[in-house]
Amino acid sequence: MRDNVILTGFMGTGKTSLGKMLATRLGRPFVDIDRKIEDETQMSIPKIFEQYGEAHFRDLERAAVKELSTRRGLVIATGGGTIKDEENLRLLKSSGVMICLTTAPEEIFSRTARRGERPVLDGGGSERLETIKRLLAERKQFYDRADYQIDTTDWSPIQIIDSICRYLRQFRS
């Protein structure tokens, strides 16, 4: 198996929850890039955006990617926009297998409405759904560069983890 397993995709696709399950299944440490940044700055992502802006957050994200891409044997969950940065994408892909989790926009809308603040999803109601659709379209070119894609809309977490593990088996020596 290539060294790291990187889960990417839009917010609400299950990167963190599925990443924890996958790490347990594989017997590997799990690192969520957004949580790493929050732990190191002692600030929430929305607070970083509010106080310092998105550009500062992206600088912190680049530093985290650079560090994690030098480590081996991890399951890494990226932020939804992490791979918009070409250098982040290059570093992550060079460090392991990139799995993109996809989900229908309406399901993302539903999942993200139940959770905390999402700085890049300003507005509510139909505006929020339109923002999700626009951002998905903008990021598609980056998500399409993953090694494997799996739709998390209708599958159970166990089905998704099983599918990822079947894909990863081909990299075992």
Side-chain angles (χ1 to χ4, degrees):
M1 190 181 307
R2 288 193 343 209
D3 296 332
N4 293 325
V5 178
I6 300 102
L7 298 180
T8 192
F10 201 75
M11 67 183 80
T13 57
K15 296 179 303 289
T16 300
S17 57
L18 292 167
K20 290 175 183 176
M21 290 176 65
L22 181 62
T24 298
R25 171 86 66 93
L26 298 175
R28 293 171 172 229
F30 172 72
V31 180
D32 181 298
I33 290 176
D34 284 350
R35 294 304 80 71
K36 178 177 173 46
I37 292 168
E38 287 180 334
D39 290 347
E40 290 176 356
T41 62
Q42 295 296 297
M43 296 178 78
S44 69
I45 301 298
K47 199 67 159 170
I48 294 169
F49 268 71
E50 178 187 317
Q51 287 192 3
Y52 301 105
E54 184 175 0
H56 179 72
F57 170 75
R58 297 298 175 194
D59 287 342
L60 296 171
E61 188 176 59
R62 274 189 287 282
V65 167
K66 188 173 184 179
E67 176 197 333
L68 292 172
S69 66
T70 66
R71 295 175 57 192
R72 299 292 174 249
L74 302 174
V75 173
I76 300 169
T78 70
T82 303
I83 65 169
K84 291 187 325 180
D85 182 285
E86 283 289 336
E87 182 65 3
N88 285 348
L89 182 59
R90 185 190 70 72
L91 287 170
L92 289 167
K93 280 189 67 79
S94 71
S95 77
V97 178
M98 185 173 289
I99 311 290
C100 182
L101 306 178
T102 65
T103 304
E106 295 76 15
E107 182 65 18
I108 291 171
F109 176 82
S110 174
R111 291 178 187 179
T112 59
R114 291 191 302 258
R115 303 228 171 111
E117 297 176 39
R118 304 288 181 148
V120 298
L121 293 183
D122 293 332
S126 63
E127 285 179 26
R128 190 176 177 111
L129 181 57
E130 291 309 310
T131 300
I132 290 167
K133 288 178 179 177
R134 178 180 52 78
L135 290 171
L136 281 170
E138 289 173 6
R139 295 175 183 182
K140 183 179 185 325
Q141 64 179 314
F142 302 107
Y143 294 150
D144 283 350
R145 291 165 65 186
D147 299 299
Y148 183 66
Q149 290 195 18
I150 184 164
D151 190 326
T152 68
T153 305
D154 296 320
W155 282 19
S156 73
I158 296 301
Q159 289 173 307
I160 295 162
I161 297 302
D162 287 346
S163 178
I164 292 170
C165 287
R166 277 191 301 276
Y167 178 76
L168 293 174
R169 279 189 205 112
Q170 70 184 299
F171 298 104
R172 286 192 180 146
S173 302

